[in-house]
Amino acid sequence: YIYTHLMGSIQPPKIELENPHQNWQKIWKYINHKSLSSNQKCLWFKIVHNIYPTNERLYRTNRRLDPNCSFCHQVENVEHRFIKCSKTQKSWKLLLELLAIVSRRKKNYENSITTPGRRSLSKTEVWFLGQYIEYIHTQYPHTDPREFAAIINRKRCNNEIP
């Protein structure tokens, strides 16, 4: 009874209230997926909660003089950093191709990750997304799709892909 009472009084996270159209059950499941490392889970958590330290965020908190991307000079937010920056687009395209190969079908992964009604991602698909996010986080703006492919290939050879 006490547990039920306490759990009933907990408010959902602010991000859920601000984005009620997202499938939060799926998102939390992916963030806590067992195929992700602790570092990858932490990165996903920061991205989802909009606390990832992009240049735009650092600028708003007076820890950076410029909110723009150091590479292409567009405002650097999370979407820009991981998907839209010209420096990461080739790696993003490679990731989508790898995911299509893994799932053996063409998919629109940008929308299927959080859209209600879509099938859940497999353990391997979540693993690929985790590898991509960690790669962009550690290598940006020096990303290279060939390097990302080489990392994935090394992990495949070492049987690290779930």
Side-chain angles (χ1 to χ4, degrees):
Y1 169 77
I2 294 172
Y3 177 79
T4 306
H5 178 70
L6 288 174
M7 291 307 292
S9 64
I10 295 176
Q11 293 292 319
K14 181 180 172 186
I15 193 76
E16 282 188 31
L17 298 173
E18 291 173 351
N19 299 284
H21 59 282
Q22 299 294 340
N23 184 339
W24 288 102
Q25 187 176 8
K26 259 190 195 181
I27 294 170
W28 300 133
K29 179 178 144 188
Y30 296 147
I31 288 174
N32 292 302
H33 204 279
K34 64 183 177 183
S35 68
L36 298 176
S37 68
S38 297
N39 188 39
Q40 291 167 345
K41 289 176 183 181
C42 182
L43 288 171
W44 276 33
F45 182 87
K46 288 177 181 180
I47 290 168
V48 167
H49 284 280
N50 200 24
I51 57 173
Y52 185 83
T54 62
N55 289 349
E56 177 188 40
R57 182 173 182 74
L58 295 172
Y59 176 76
R60 282 187 285 136
T61 57
N62 295 320
R63 288 187 266 161
R64 186 165 170 91
L65 297 174
D66 183 7
N68 295 329
C69 171
S70 353
F71 180 74
C72 66
H73 309 292
Q74 301 292 317
V75 173
E76 186 196 86
N77 55 26
V78 169
E79 183 178 24
H80 176 82
R81 173 95 178 244
F82 289 94
I83 299 170
K84 298 210 171 176
C85 180
S86 58
K87 197 67 175 166
T88 58
Q89 279 184 344
K90 289 179 183 174
S91 297
W92 178 249
K93 184 178 180 209
L94 173 65
L95 171 73
L96 295 177
E97 289 170 6
L98 290 170
L99 287 173
I101 291 167
V102 167
S103 68
R104 295 181 176 87
R105 69 185 109 178
K106 293 284 183 192
K107 288 186 70 84
N108 182 354
Y109 279 96
E110 291 178 72
N111 295 325
S112 69
I113 294 169
T114 60
T115 305
R118 302 272 182 143
R119 78 165 180 84
S120 293
L121 298 176
S122 71
K123 176 169 63 170
T124 305
E125 291 166 329
V126 172
W127 182 87
F128 271 103
L129 285 167
Q131 296 300 312
Y132 172 75
I133 287 172
E134 185 173 41
Y135 172 73
I136 297 298
H137 166 72
T138 58
Q139 299 300 318
Y140 186 84
H142 308 289
T143 57
D144 181 350
R146 292 171 298 193
E147 182 183 347
F148 179 60
I151 290 168
I152 296 299
N153 196 38
R154 268 195 311 274
K155 291 182 184 256
R156 184 182 60 79
C157 291
N158 294 334
N159 293 320
E160 295 178 44
I161 298 177

